[in-house]
Amino acid sequence: MRRFGSVVFLSFFIGACSQARPSSLTPGAAKKHIKVGQTTQAEVVEIFGTPNIVTRKHGSDMWVYDKVSSKQTSSAFVAGGFGGGVGGSGLGGGGIGGGVGSTERSETTVMLIVYFDENDVVRDYKISQTKF
């Protein structure tokens, strides 16, 4: 009696593995919370935390916030098949398999520079965001 095994295909997809830490340092948050001539240093610290760089020139401060975040996405496709053998003959079947995978990584850099006047109130600010 002959038995023929069936071929089984397995596939799966692994996607969107993300590594990012949450932060309020975004261009939208800067536009929403920083008001020139109104926002104080204490309010900026409350919103964005302590700055990465502080410099003082002519009695006023310049604060720099710099955030770099990365995102990694991986995907894989694997297929395999297993054959059967002839019953009672001691002959067995073989198997085949294969797979393809890819990984994509992106970086986002956000830099906020805040200029304060001599009364520690925002005089001006600049924000930039770069993705690559």
Side-chain angles (χ1 to χ4, degrees):
M1 178 173 178
R2 295 184 185 191
R3 283 194 221 168
F4 292 96
S6 61
V7 177
V8 179
F9 288 97
L10 302 174
S11 67
F12 64 90
F13 181 77
I14 303 169
C17 297
S18 177
Q19 300 173 354
R21 68 174 200 235
S23 174
S24 60
L25 185 57
T26 64
K31 286 181 91 173
K32 179 180 178 183
H33 296 291
I34 298 176
K35 305 295 181 216
V36 174
Q38 297 177 7
T39 308
T40 65
Q41 283 184 349
E43 292 169 323
V44 172
V45 168
E46 186 177 320
I47 297 162
F48 300 110
T50 57
N52 299 92
I53 300 171
V54 174
T55 61
R56 188 162 186 82
K57 185 176 179 181
H58 303 297
S60 61
D61 289 346
M62 178 188 78
W63 290 4
V64 179
Y65 291 87
D66 191 17
K67 178 187 89 169
V68 177
S69 59
S70 59
K71 181 178 180 180
Q72 184 170 317
T73 305
S74 300
S75 63
F77 175 80
V78 178
F82 302 95
V86 178
S89 68
L91 299 174
I96 58 169
V100 177
S102 68
T103 300
E104 186 175 302
R105 182 180 172 117
S106 64
E107 302 277 336
T108 302
T109 302
V110 179
M111 181 178 283
L112 171 64
I113 302 172
V114 184
Y115 303 92
F116 294 95
D117 64 17
E118 58 280 347
N119 297 316
D120 297 336
V121 175
V122 174
R123 177 174 47 90
D124 196 10
Y125 74 94
K126 307 280 188 234
I127 189 156
S128 66
Q129 179 173 330
T130 307
K131 291 184 181 184
F132 52 95

